Amino acid sequence: DTAVSQTPKYLVTQMGNDKSIKCEQNLGHDTMYWYKQDSKKFLKIMFSYNNKELIINETVPNRFSPKSPDKAHLNLHINSLELGDSAVYFCASSLRGLLADTQYFGPGTRLTVL
Amino acid sequence: DQQVKQNSPSLSVQEGRISILNCDYTNSMFDYFLWYKKYPAEGPTFLISISSIKDKNEDGRFTVFLNKSAKHLSLHIVPSQPGDSAVYFCAAASDAGKSTFGDGTTLTVKP
């Protein structure tokens, strides 16, 4: 019974397309995140939502738009995909988003832009 | 600006010996530090953490040491087991829910 799930696991698409990645958590957590792991292996936070409200928005192109229909879901929509968007995207959740709260990660979505 | 650095991209250790993974940070505002472990094709999983008011936290075979004056933390695994082979990320947090990750160290434990 997966705690944090993401779909799809792999996504290959052409430059200029629009795509979405879905994330769901069944842990009852209030806070969800999106991270990007680039070719240098850094995990960089992109967005964080707490109870459907945006609380962290790092310097991310506005082609990336997160959407949280409810606190169990945080989807990531990407417009006009570029080569540099190729990366592994991880969704995560934590109980309240507090400093010491453990983050639980999904398995990742490997996005390849051709 | 890389605020959290793991200077060793890889580490190889014999089974039964100690593994020591290091992490340095630059931001003195970080209050909480975490280690995550990641297997291939999976997301990171939480391993152990330490608050800035402590200098050591132990959980079974895993111990994290924090040296605030040197802005350095380390993860000790004793004894190392082949199942410990994974990528280890250290992370530091200063704001609620926001963690800054290092770029990982790949640990290989040889039988």
Side-chain angles (χ1 to χ4, degrees):
Chain A
D1 194 18
T2 308
V4 182
S5 59
Q6 296 178 227
T7 52
K9 195 167 176 67
Y10 299 96
L11 185 52
V12 181
T13 188
Q14 300 283 339
M15 264 195 325
N17 284 349
D18 303 339
K19 290 293 178 185
S20 292
I21 308 171
K22 296 185 176 181
C23 178
E24 176 180 0
Q25 54 96 2
N26 62 7
L27 297 167
H29 287 170
D30 287 345
T31 306
M32 296 184 73
Y33 312 81
W34 276 108
Y35 286 85
K36 178 181 180 181
Q37 185 181 32
D38 59 22
S39 56
K40 294 183 180 178
K41 306 302 182 187
F42 283 104
L43 269 168
K44 292 183 182 176
I45 191 165
M46 302 172 68
F47 302 102
S48 172
Y49 271 70
N50 185 279
N51 275 317
K52 302 193 299 175
E53 289 195 22
L54 181 66
I55 55 171
I56 295 174
N57 185 352
E58 292 297 289
T59 308
V60 177
N62 58 15
R63 298 181 295 102
F64 290 77
S65 53
K67 285 187 172 52
S68 183
D70 54 62
K71 74 173 193 178
H73 296 84
L74 181 61
N75 303 322
L76 183 65
H77 189 76
I78 315 170
N79 288 327
S80 304
L81 279 155
E82 299 178 357
L83 293 176
D85 297 333
S86 295
V88 181
Y89 293 84
F90 289 98
C91 175
S93 73
S94 69
L95 186 58
R96 293 175 300 268
L98 300 178
L99 195 69
D101 282 351
T102 298
Q103 293 186 25
Y104 293 81
F105 284 81
T109 295
R110 182 174 291 278
L111 171 64
T112 304
V113 182
L114 304 175
Chain B
D1 178 26
Q2 192 179 335
Q3 297 189 60
V4 179
K5 294 181 184 180
Q6 295 176 252
N7 291 318
S8 298
S10 63
L11 175 68
S12 183
V13 169
Q14 205 66 36
E15 181 179 5
R17 307 293 289 269
I18 184 171
S19 296
I20 301 176
L21 296 98
N22 294 304
C23 180
D24 297 294
Y25 62 95
T26 57
N27 189 341
S28 58
M29 299 299 291
F30 287 136
D31 284 332
Y32 203 77
F33 303 89
L34 310 96
W35 283 94
Y36 286 83
K37 176 180 179 179
K38 183 183 179 305
Y39 292 116
E42 294 182 13
T45 54
F46 171 75
L47 191 57
I48 192 170
S49 62
I50 188 167
S51 163
S52 61
I53 62 172
K54 294 186 174 183
D55 55 15
K56 178 182 175 182
N57 187 26
E58 192 171 350
D59 183 3
R61 297 186 296 113
F62 302 91
T63 303
V64 56
F65 294 92
L66 175 63
N67 183 334
K68 282 197 74 176
S69 60
K71 294 191 178 67
H72 177 84
L73 67 154
S74 61
L75 174 68
H76 292 211
I77 307 173
V78 177
S80 301
Q81 299 173 354
D84 296 330
S85 297
V87 179
Y88 288 80
F89 291 95
C90 71
S94 59
D95 300 318
K98 180 179 173 181
S99 293
T100 302
F101 283 77
D103 56 348
T105 296
T106 300
L107 173 66
T108 303
V109 180
K110 297 178 179 179

